[in-house]
Amino acid sequence: MSDPATENIEKSSLTEMIFTDSIPYNKKSSKVKVLSVADLFALAIKRVSSHESISSLYTL
């Protein structure tokens, strides 16, 4: 996010904004939560190498 996005989020009525760590986010905000995609990527790589489907990894 470019400036002043973090400040705007802090001042907003949002309770939480969630990002993945696929793109670096170095700002500090009590409302921004960064989730790791490492486990998802590892499982996708494992399934591809085992000739299994990965489509179920991306459904909610």
Side-chain angles (χ1 to χ4, degrees), residues 5-58:
T6 301
E7 288 178 35
N8 292 340
I9 291 169
E10 280 296 316
K11 294 176 184 176
S12 76
S13 62
L14 291 173
T15 56
E16 186 175 55
M17 182 173 271
I18 301 173
F19 292 101
T20 65
D21 63 353
S22 57
I23 297 175
Y25 176 73
N26 299 320
K27 307 283 183 173
K28 297 295 180 193
S29 172
S30 61
K31 294 184 178 184
V32 174
K33 183 175 184 177
V34 179
L35 300 178
S36 174
V37 293
D39 290 339
L40 178 64
F41 285 176
L43 185 54
I45 292 167
K46 179 181 176 187
R47 286 187 179 191
V48 167
S49 68
S50 300
H51 305 285
E52 298 175 42
S53 173
I54 63 168
S55 61
S56 64
L57 298 175
Y58 305 102

